Amino acid sequence: EGDEPTTAFLIESGLIEILTGSAGESVALAQIGPGDLLGEMAVIDASPRTATARAVTDCVLVAIDRTSIHERLDAADPVVRALIRGQLQRYRTALARLRGDEEIAPTDEPPDPVDVADASLAATGISKIRLETQLKQALTDGELEVRFQPIQDIDRGTIAGYEALIRWDHPERGAISPVEFIALAEETSLILPVGRYVFDAVCSALATLREGGGELPFIAVNVSARQTLEEGLLDELVVIAARYDVPIGRVKIEITESLALDFVRVERLIAHCHSLGMKVALDDFGTGYSNLGHLHKLRFDSVKLDQGFIRQMLGDARSLAIVRAVVSMVHALDADMIAEGVETAEQLAMLKTLGVRYAQGYLIGRPKSREDLMASHPAPAL
């Protein structure tokens, strides 16, 4: 008790008793053994040790230095750090009361920069927990909105399909970026109900579009890494499509390029989709994860070229050469190309010259609400 917190220990063998003083007597708090950590709490919050460890039997300990512990904490999720910080604060308070210690009086000394940084990360963790809870409630209350961005068949000049994009207008924060709340959902199993929410909205939209006559467009849905781990992912989609009585082949699955690195899992998912009559697109091609060694084995029906290439191709000969090469490669794989980020008529004309089949971007149309989709969608000839 009172020692500086320079080191924690892992107990290899033996038993150790943890004690503290209370009302002039020694009180045993716990007995720990092989596989347990000793002294880590003082190391974590840089406080003098507030209890004493006594060997009950012969012990072998492995020393763990302060740097090793803090490097791992620094890399930990803010939520985890917030949970640890809360546990430590409660432990310190309970121990102080047990010992009969007086509360520490406020000080005029400036706060330690480490404490300030740790408190900031803890606040970030609490904010994430709060936002996750609010996201669950938004799902329950149907507050998330699925919008539909049109995809044009360039040769025909018609809208062939849409990409489903989920949006959240938070009652306090306003519009929250999907990058933030989808990443939050992917950290937990919350992405699964979010996925079901999108599937339901897509099938519901297809059912309404079918009532307007004509052939149905396809609607593409992004699938996350966490969702692909679920064996029943496509089975759930089959059930939802059957409930709305829409052909499941009108739903298209989009897989980000980073997921394609998990070759076995993605190959199995593509095969399952094809067995159901669904098409699969490789999304964000060219964003840094390209693995041509596996691409020829993964039978994608279409490849979406990242918008960065499209925006630069007219002003940069090298970018244009890359687009031309990728289009040729995709055609050689018997797949269609979808160009993202098309914003000008000149870009669209060049894509047509290159033989790109589909275009998506603000020139084609911004994401539409369900109501706008129903009001504006023509009956395309696919």
Side-chain angles (χ1 to χ4, degrees), residues 92-112:
R92 297 294 188 200
T93 300
L95 190 59
R97 289 175 178 171
L98 177 65
R99 293 160 50 92
D101 294 344
E102 296 182 1
E103 293 187 11
I104 298 174
T107 176
D108 293 330
E109 292 293 323
D112 190 308

Side-chain angles (χ1 to χ4, degrees), residues 34-82:
D36 289 328
L37 285 173
L38 167 67
E40 78 284 357
M41 287 190 290
V43 173
I44 290 173
D45 65 0
S47 299
R49 303 192 191 280
T50 52
T52 293
R54 182 176 65 191
V56 178
T57 67
D58 288 345
C59 298
V60 175
L61 308 180
V62 175
I64 305 172
D65 64 47
R66 177 185 177 88
T67 302
S68 296
I69 292 175
H70 279 269
E71 283 178 346
R72 283 160 176 77
L73 284 176
D74 290 343
D77 187 288
V79 172
V80 175
R81 296 187 65 170

Side-chain angles (χ1 to χ4, degrees), residues 127-147 164-186 190-191 194 197-198 367:
S127 295
K128 290 180 72 173
I129 293 174
R130 181 185 298 111
L131 189 63
E132 181 181 338
T133 301
Q134 293 171 337
L135 180 56
K136 290 178 182 177
Q137 192 62 47
L139 282 168
T140 300
D141 297 342
E143 294 177 353
L144 301 182
E145 181 186 6
V146 176
R147 297 180 185 171
L165 303 170
I166 192 165
R167 297 291 184 264
W168 184 14
D169 189 9
H170 191 279
E172 298 171 4
R173 292 178 50 183
I176 297 180
S177 167
V179 174
E180 179 180 359
F181 74 84
I182 291 298
L184 177 66
E186 286 182 339
L190 191 56
I191 191 62
V194 169
Y197 189 99
V198 175

